[in-house]
Amino acid sequence: MKFFTIQTFFALVLASLAGGCVQERAIAPAIQLYAMDCGSIDVDDMKSFSVDGAFAGQSYALVVPCYLIRHAEGDVIWDTGFDQSLADMPGGISGGGFHSSMSARLTDQLQELGLDVNDIEFLAVSHSHPDHAGNAGLFKNSTFIISAAEHAYMFSDEARDNAESFKAYAPLEDARTIQFDDEHDVFGDGRVVIKKLPGHTPGSAVLLLRLTNAGPQLLTGDLITHSAGRRLGAVPVFNTDIEQTRRSIAAFEALAEAQGARVIIQHEPKDFEALPAFPAWLD
Ligand SMILES: [Zn+2]
């Protein structure tokens, strides 16, 4: 018969809870936000980024980040950037006034933290466009969290017809999935909350994080595209529902105000650069 000391017992409990990284997890803050570089989009003319043409003739360099949120109870990926095969094309690709490129693969960046796609417990995307769901299919063993409206949209016949973008997330059709109507609190502690604020696509969402030291953070998805657009409340022409987007922007700004949240506009280079450079994190 084998006897355990009480210390051994707690060490075993901690090890089973933390997946073996007892020491790392025990000293780490409760939650960490990592911003990874998952591409960039140089736009020749920002005309289509506002229905009133406010940005006509302006070029802009957008960033395409992906985020890892490390919580004591699991890792969450929020948005997956461009399909990482783009990183194998040194010149990137051009078309329609957009030049897209990628300097580092998402999986290589995760590897810097000793993580494999199969270590990620939860995958969530703000919406299913190719600059947000480009690598989503790699996370088919994670639990996929998505609004019911976006799930219906991304697996519609119309979406299936768009073979290239559908292929990037098609494996998620068989993934463990949590579908929500208005919002989903990932760990039930209010620290990682996904909120549907539709209009860019039928079920597009934003992410509210409540960090211990840095406080509340609101990640926009594509509800807002860049700082100049936020100042004007701009709605891009390529949104699925312009009036719904206007209501969502108003709700988002009210939420940011009520929470005292820092707003992180995902495609805005200044907001990306203001975050700690990977592999450093915000906590
Ligand atoms: Zn986007």
Side-chain angles (χ1 to χ4, degrees):
M1 198 173 190
K2 211 169 170 184
F3 291 93
F4 291 113
T5 64
I6 194 75
Q7 287 87 350
T8 315
F9 173 76
F10 279 115
L12 286 170
V13 169
L14 277 173
S16 66
L17 287 174
C21 307
V22 176
Q23 209 158 12
E24 198 182 296
R25 286 295 172 91
I27 58 164
I31 178 170
Q32 300 155 294
L33 171 66
Y34 293 85
M36 294 174 283
D37 175 358
C38 288
S40 58
I41 310 173
D42 295 333
V43 184
D44 290 347
D45 188 338
M46 292 289 286
K47 183 175 57 185
S48 59
F49 286 79
S50 183
V51 287
D52 61 4
F55 309 117
Q58 299 178 19
S59 62
Y60 207 61
L62 302 172
V63 292
V64 180
C66 3
Y67 301 92
L68 168 69
I69 298 107
R70 305 209 75 184
H71 182 285
E73 290 178 27
D75 293 322
V76 185
I77 292 281
W78 171 255
D79 281 346
T80 64
F82 280 128
D83 182 323
Q84 58 182 8
S85 64
L86 183 59
D88 301 330
M89 303 174 204
I93 48 173
S94 293
F98 296 88
H99 179 75
S100 304
S101 59
M102 195 170 185
S103 56
R105 297 168 76 92
L106 169 57
T107 50
D108 288 345
Q109 294 177 80
L110 290 175
Q111 193 56 54
E112 277 191 59
L113 301 177
L115 292 171
D116 175 84
V117 290
N118 295 312
D119 296 324
I120 305 299
E121 281 81 2
F122 300 100
L123 167 71
V125 293
S126 60
H127 62 294
S128 49
H129 284 164
D131 55 325
H132 297 260
N135 300 298
L138 298 176
F139 298 91
K140 60 184 185 299
N141 295 326
S142 308
T143 296
F144 179 41
I145 306 172
I146 189 83
S147 73
E150 192 69 8
H151 192 273
Y153 175 66
M154 68 198 291
F155 293 104
S156 64
D157 290 342
E158 192 188 341
R160 284 171 208 278
D161 288 344
N162 193 345
E164 201 54 35
S165 63
F166 184 73
K167 190 179 70 181
Y169 61 74
L172 297 178
E173 198 160 19
D174 301 319
R176 263 187 317 277
T177 301
I178 295 171
Q179 293 188 39
F180 62 93
D181 288 325
D182 293 319
E183 68 173 48
H184 180 69
D185 182 343
V186 179
F187 299 104
D189 59 3
R191 289 174 175 274
V192 182
V193 182
I194 300 164
K195 298 178 83 71
K196 185 180 75 175
L197 283 177
H200 182 63
T201 58
S204 46
V206 304
L207 177 66
L208 172 63
L209 299 175
R210 291 190 178 94
L211 303 184
T212 308
N213 298 312
Q217 316 283 315
L218 257 173
L219 282 70
T220 57
D222 277 3
L223 179 59
I224 299 167
T225 315
H226 67 324
S227 296
R230 185 182 180 205
R231 285 193 289 275
L232 296 182
V235 180
V237 297
F238 43 81
N239 280 14
T240 55
D241 188 326
I242 291 185
E243 285 315 309
Q244 195 178 45
T245 298
R246 290 195 205 285
R247 291 193 296 276
S248 288
I249 290 174
F252 178 90
E253 295 293 359
L255 177 66
E257 171 104 31
Q259 294 287 326
R262 166 196 192 169
V263 170
I264 300 172
I265 303 172
Q266 295 188 202
H267 282 307
E268 170 57 57
K270 294 187 204 84
D271 288 5
F272 183 73
E273 283 154 22
L275 288 165
F278 185 84
W281 67 85
L282 193 69
D283 60 45

